[in-house]
Amino acid sequence: PEDVATYALYLGDDALMLAQRLGYWISRAPEMEEDVALANIAQDQLGHARFLLSYAGSAWGKTEDDLAYFRDANDFRSCRLVEQENGDFGQTIARQLIFATYQYELFSRLVESQDETIAAVAAKALKEVMYHLDHAAQWTLRLGDGTEESHRRMQEGLYYMWPYVEELFADDDLLRDLAERGIAVLPSTLRESFDQRIQPIIEQATLELPNVTGAYGGDRLGRFSEHRSHILGEMQVLARQFPGATW
Amino acid sequence: PEDVATYALYLGDDALMLAQRLGYWISRAPEMEEDVALANIAQDQLGHARFLLSYAGSAWGKTEDDLAYFRDANDFRSCRLVEQENGDFGQTIARQLIFATYQYELFSRLVESQDETIAAVAAKALKEVMYHLDHAAQWTLRLGDGTEESHRRMQEGLYYMWPYVEELFADDDLLRDLAERGIAVLPSTLRESFDQRIQPIIEQATLELPNVTGAYGGDRLGRFSEHRSHILGEMQVLARQFPGATW
Amino acid sequence: RAGQERFDQIIAEDSRIEPSDWMPEGYRKTLVRQMSQHAHSEIIGMQPEANWITRAPSLKRKMILMAKVQDEAGHGLYLYSATETLGVPRDELVRQLLDGEAKYSSIFNYPAMTWADVGAIGWLVDGAAIQNQVPLCRASFAPYGRAMVRICKEESFHQRQGWEILYELSNGTPEQKAMAQDAVNRFYGPALQMFGPPDDDSPNSQQSMAWNIKRFSNDELRQRFVDMIVPQAQALGLTLPDPDLKWNEERGHYDFGELDWGEFMSVIKGKGPCNVQRMQRRREAHENGAWVREAASAYAAKQASRQQDAADTHLIGA
Amino acid sequence: RAGQERFDQIIAEDSRIEPSDWMPEGYRKTLVRQMSQHAHSEIIGMQPEANWITRAPSLKRKMILMAKVQDEAGHGLYLYSATETLGVPRDELVRQLLDGEAKYSSIFNYPAMTWADVGAIGWLVDGAAIQNQVPLCRASFAPYGRAMVRICKEESFHQRQGWEILYELSNGTPEQKAMAQDAVNRFYGPALQMFGPPDDDSPNSQQSMAWNIKRFSNDELRQRFVDMIVPQAQALGLTLPDPDLKWNEERGHYDFGELDWGEFMSVIKGKGPCNVQRMQRRREAHENGAWVREAASAYAAKQASRQQDAADTHLIGA
């Protein structure tokens, strides 16, 4: 069960970090409708995170909050994409477009996981992620094919996020083992459908696929991100100030 | 000695918070010369802070780091001005102009403090603060009388910072008592010379004194600032993760 | 005038005015002012609580807090829409806010400094808002009333959630309880002032009551609020910071002490701890978002012209 | 050509070339490339350490760290100035950096994730830089050599400070020691790669040595560095992550294992963990500062024209 739990951390930490990043936008969005939309997406991701961390924690006798608030940076298993800074709205949308496309492909396959809990989370999340993808795609079109400035910013946003795409599709021993047992999806097998889904959106938005290579690293061990410790420092500050307290 | 120690906290916490804010600029300044200049000012302020916190700590058997890293937000005694966000460079310069002018007037008088340590800090700091004031005044001129955009931004920076001016000159019982004993300077007695010094700079920069009232509060008890807990959360994160460690 | 007569009759019958109905200019103006202030308050009111989203101390609380701040954005949007039915577009209302011409509730000029403040805002500020808003569900202007019905449902959740935050703190460690008490100490007075100045000093109230916009006087609403929160505070095990607060058997209400109206007036006039900060944040969000809104318009215009081209082509082809 | 002869003679005598002297175009180009890369490295190299200024765990360390990052800005400035003597203005050099045409040392594309990384960067990265730079104090191009003298003095402080950070950690709690070891594990290999590829794969080195710019080969410098840090690591009580590292009595040097040159080349080609992040931050600082630099120029122009007006008035008056 520990390997499944670790897999649940992979999935859950991604969702948690993204929720944390998106949560910052609420009250700062470029239009009030977007305060609502980004809050929606943040809550969906936080919902996935809570479910997955609770599930992971059951293997170790820990709660979702134990895992979210009392693990140190090098114990998290999130990918670097979701840890990237919000930047401007174009950069946030670029991150959303990439991650929602990836999550959509992933959850579409995970609904058939041999692990019932993971299959159930995926089934629930899939509908939400379809909305996230639609939201990101719509904004990619508007920004890419909007004004000269928005085109430039959206293109830059894609450029700044693209180095972290490769990592999403990196396999490791745990994933290979779980995939063989029908529990996980081997990330590398999602890349083709990811490309096929995201490329037409980028093209329709009159944007180009960024000409930038993947960033070295990609082992979900946090060995290559300067952002993670900043995110956790803020997220955990109050919980750690009162260890053992309930809220 | 506890009342003098508390006064040292007033002065030292101001310097510490400002050093923390300015430290963020290093590597992000609008020109490389400014990375150097802001780092200089930050180090000067941090130097004052260390001296003053050590002095304050001697009354309670605490070190500078005990006081900087292990006090909670409501135990700090900084004014709100230095806790304000950096904003753009114009906002930072506005904060610098106001604070350096205030500190210059304050230290010019504190060199005659009956408390030898405080008099000595003030004497040393005074020369540094003259440079800070000159730096801020020069930039105020350049930005105020530069381009249309820089004029607008500098004026906005002054507007956003001005509500926190009043607090700098607020007296309280501790200050009144210490002033009577010739140890502290009563802040209200500095206001006139502050105005006489800062107004000509603002005018020469073709700027206007902001038409905005002082923000309610001003008791140095942190009862009115949303920023302080953010600053401390970041500043203290590592030290608190390893209580009792040395570095 | 037939319009005036019909309007007076609707008011007399306590029926509802629709946007298409004739209405006196003063009535329209009063509503635009009140409804847009209300909308602005929801939007500015997001800030103190949003300040704690990234630091909420449990995932459950983070979830609830995000939902709450989202609801506030939603309320702002309903209320701007309802105000637009009176002929003033949202852009113009937002401009009035950003230029400092329009007001919003002064309570949001107080900072949310601790996690307990999030609880106190939910319990006291949303609690006071509900007292104000429940009667507004029957406001004579129909779109306002309808917006209020929807909003009040959500606000009562919020109040409950705020109370729960304080309950957990009050039953937690001594530090947590102290944090809760401190928050209540700071928000109690300003929350009571949310009902506006005492009736003697509230000249506009009477006209609003005659128009069936307002149903109860400021002091009546304040009394109801105090009567509601005293037992809730007892259940929390927290003290309300008013030595004069006590049950008056004769009146069947709680007596309470004089509020600091000097402070109230000075906060309204811009002297609050966060007035400038709130406006700066709102302006920055607006300005940083300008290129996004422009892009959305430009894209919409392109799409419309593409559809027109397609339609033209179709006509020519036909 | 007399210029070439004189140049050759200066080189043969191991004397110094001044900017006003004639020099071959290849020499000039090589220097512009090397010196500006060096300057860019100082500027980009501020970022990993600046990442910890706001979180330094003691005030003393915060002070030292601010001073160090400040020194790097200062070094960048000297080196840009020295490069400008070769006829390329700083604006153009900065443009090359921002457009990705110019390179900077690959080591700065690794992240500073923990506080111990600040120590490892000081000890290993500045340590390697010193090995590289000390011989450059005698570089044939005089302004480069002069800049290096100044820089080397400060770098040796930095290395010492980095070592001290690691020493405190290594002698601290088990978690602190683990943090230090982890940082050394991550920075050891990349630090050794700072001397460039093995001599066999370093085609430009020979010309640079002939011109008395470079004094020692990459592999010679790397060996000196290893020989220097092994006893320092022992004094720290930390392990260097190389199983092949051992004293070779015969050579009188430490042997060490093959480095991962595949990773080195891929980081140079943009695949490092932080390449894009570093460039984004630098571009943002530059773009966000554009209005400030424009204001400074506009102000300077106004001042100059005011002085001119004053001078004219004076002439007319005279």
Side-chain angles (χ1 to χ4, degrees), chain C residues 95-297:
Chain C
R95 187 200 61 72
Q96 291 171 3
L97 171 65
L98 297 178
D99 289 354
E101 292 170 23
K103 294 217 178 302
Y104 55 86
S105 178
S106 261
I107 190 80
F108 301 116
N109 290 319
Y110 289 88
M113 287 182 311
T114 70
W115 171 250
D117 289 9
V118 174
I121 290 172
W123 176 46
L124 294 173
V125 176
D126 290 72
I130 292 170
Q131 289 294 337
N132 255 329
Q133 290 167 8
V134 166
L136 287 171
C137 296
R138 295 187 291 123
S140 58
F141 185 58
Y144 195 22
R146 287 192 288 263
M148 277 301 144
V149 170
R150 209 166 150 185
I151 289 171
C152 280
K153 276 188 201 156
E154 294 178 354
E155 298 279 21
S156 57
F157 271 108
H158 298 166
Q159 202 220 355
R160 177 83 204 173
Q161 289 158 352
W163 189 87
E164 281 173 7
I165 287 174
L166 292 176
Y167 185 84
E168 288 287 346
L169 293 174
S170 184
N171 291 280
T173 67
E175 291 94 334
Q176 284 181 303
K177 181 160 186 177
M179 190 195 279
Q181 183 63 59
D182 171 58
V184 169
N185 290 350
R186 283 181 287 104
F187 277 96
Y188 171 79
L192 260 63
Q193 293 178 326
M194 286 174 67
F195 300 97
D199 293 347
D200 302 346
D201 300 330
S202 182
N204 300 323
S205 283
Q206 222 146 6
Q207 178 62 74
S208 279
M209 287 176 82
W211 275 331
N212 292 346
I213 299 172
K214 209 171 159 66
R215 300 284 177 167
F216 300 99
S217 81
N218 296 353
D219 287 334
E220 282 170 333
L221 291 167
R222 190 163 15 245
Q223 181 69 61
R224 285 176 176 221
F225 178 63
V226 172
D227 291 347
M228 177 181 82
I229 61 169
V230 170
Q232 293 178 350
Q234 285 163 351
L236 285 173
L238 297 174
T239 311
L240 296 174
D242 178 357
D244 299 330
L245 187 69
K246 61 168 179 289
W247 179 250
N248 183 324
E249 191 66 45
E250 205 173 315
R251 293 203 305 125
H253 289 292
Y254 284 93
D255 289 339
F256 54 96
E258 188 66 21
L259 297 166
D260 184 348
W261 293 107
E263 174 178 323
F264 177 75
M265 288 313 298
S266 79
V267 174
I268 284 193
K269 284 178 187 147
K271 214 177 155 56
C274 300
N275 296 50
V276 168
Q277 178 186 329
R278 298 288 183 242
M279 288 306 296
Q280 178 177 13
R281 166 86 82 79
R282 193 65 232 145
R283 280 190 199 119
E284 280 174 358
H286 189 80
E287 284 162 20
N288 293 341
W291 68 273
V292 176
R293 296 190 303 275
E294 282 158 21
S297 309

Side-chain angles (χ1 to χ4, degrees), chain B residues 80 91 159-160 163-164 166 212-216 222-227 229-230, chain C residues 48 51-52 55 110-113 186 263 269-273 276-278 280 283:
Chain B
R80 281 173 296 175
Q91 186 168 324
Y159 179 83
Y160 292 137
Y164 311 105
E166 200 174 289
V212 58
T213 179
Y216 184 83
R223 293 198 298 133
F224 297 99
S225 164
E226 285 179 359
H227 301 305
S229 63
H230 286 282
Chain C
N51 186 37
W52 286 93
R55 297 180 291 175
Y110 289 88
M113 287 182 311
R186 283 181 287 104
E263 174 178 323
K269 284 178 187 147
K271 214 177 155 56
V276 168
Q277 178 186 329
R278 298 288 183 242
Q280 178 177 13
R283 280 190 199 119

Side-chain angles (χ1 to χ4, degrees), chain C residues 17-20 23 27-28 30-39 73-90 93 136 139 141-151:
Chain C
I17 310 286
E18 290 293 340
S20 53
M23 62 188 84
Y27 179 82
R28 183 188 302 270
T30 298
L31 279 166
V32 169
R33 186 171 45 80
Q34 181 171 337
M35 291 167 68
S36 65
Q37 275 187 23
H38 195 153
H75 298 175
L77 287 170
Y78 306 159
L79 284 161
Y80 283 125
S81 292
T83 314
E84 283 190 312
T85 66
L86 291 162
V88 190
R90 182 169 118 192
L93 299 171
L136 287 171
F141 185 58
Y144 195 22
R146 287 192 288 263
M148 277 301 144
V149 170
R150 209 166 150 185
I151 289 171

Side-chain angles (χ1 to χ4, degrees), chain D residues 29-266:
Chain D
K29 270 196 183 157
T30 297
L31 279 166
V32 168
R33 187 172 43 80
Q34 181 172 338
M35 292 167 68
S36 65
Q37 276 186 23
H38 196 153
H40 301 329
S41 299
E42 297 282 357
I43 297 301
I44 298 291
M46 297 168 75
Q47 291 183 33
E49 291 166 293
N51 186 37
W52 287 92
I53 289 176
T54 54
R55 298 180 290 176
S58 78
L59 296 186
K60 178 181 151 198
R61 292 290 166 206
K62 190 190 290 284
M63 184 72 114
I64 291 172
L65 185 57
M66 287 203 286
K68 182 183 176 189
V69 182
Q70 180 187 31
D71 282 347
E72 287 160 2
H75 297 174
L77 288 170
Y78 306 159
L79 284 162
Y80 284 124
S81 291
T83 314
E84 284 188 313
T85 65
L86 291 162
V88 191
R90 182 168 119 192
D91 282 358
E92 166 59 15
L93 299 171
V94 168
R95 187 201 60 73
Q96 291 171 3
L97 172 66
L98 298 178
D99 288 355
E101 292 170 23
K103 294 218 177 301
Y104 55 85
S105 178
S106 260
I107 191 78
F108 301 116
N109 290 319
Y110 288 88
M113 288 182 311
T114 71
W115 172 251
D117 289 10
V118 174
I121 290 172
W123 177 46
L124 295 173
V125 176
D126 289 71
I130 293 170
Q131 288 296 335
N132 256 328
Q133 290 168 7
V134 166
L136 287 172
C137 295
R138 296 187 292 123
S140 58
F141 185 60
Y144 194 20
R146 288 192 288 263
M148 277 302 142
V149 170
R150 208 166 152 186
I151 288 172
C152 280
K153 276 188 203 156
E154 294 178 355
E155 296 281 19
S156 58
F157 271 108
H158 298 167
Q159 202 218 355
R160 176 84 205 171
Q161 289 158 351
W163 189 87
E164 281 172 8
I165 288 175
L166 292 177
Y167 184 84
E168 288 287 348
L169 294 174
S170 184
N171 291 281
T173 67
E175 291 94 335
Q176 284 181 304
K177 180 160 187 178
M179 191 196 278
Q181 184 62 60
D182 172 59
V184 170
N185 291 349
R186 284 181 288 105
F187 277 95
Y188 171 78
L192 260 63
Q193 294 178 327
M194 286 174 67
F195 300 97
D199 293 347
D200 302 345
D201 300 330
S202 184
N204 299 325
S205 283
Q206 223 148 5
Q207 176 64 72
S208 280
M209 289 175 80
W211 276 332
N212 291 347
I213 298 172
K214 208 170 160 67
R215 300 283 177 168
F216 300 97
S217 80
N218 296 353
D219 286 334
E220 282 170 333
L221 291 167
R222 190 164 14 245
Q223 181 68 61
R224 287 177 174 219
F225 178 63
V226 172
D227 290 346
M228 176 182 83
I229 61 170
V230 170
Q232 292 179 350
Q234 284 163 353
L236 286 173
L238 296 175
T239 310
L240 296 174
D242 178 357
D244 299 329
L245 188 68
K246 60 169 179 293
W247 178 250
N248 183 324
E249 192 65 47
E250 206 172 316
R251 294 204 304 126
H253 289 293
Y254 283 93
D255 290 338
F256 55 95
E258 187 65 21
L259 296 165
D260 184 349
W261 292 108
E263 175 178 322
F264 177 73
M265 288 312 299
S266 78

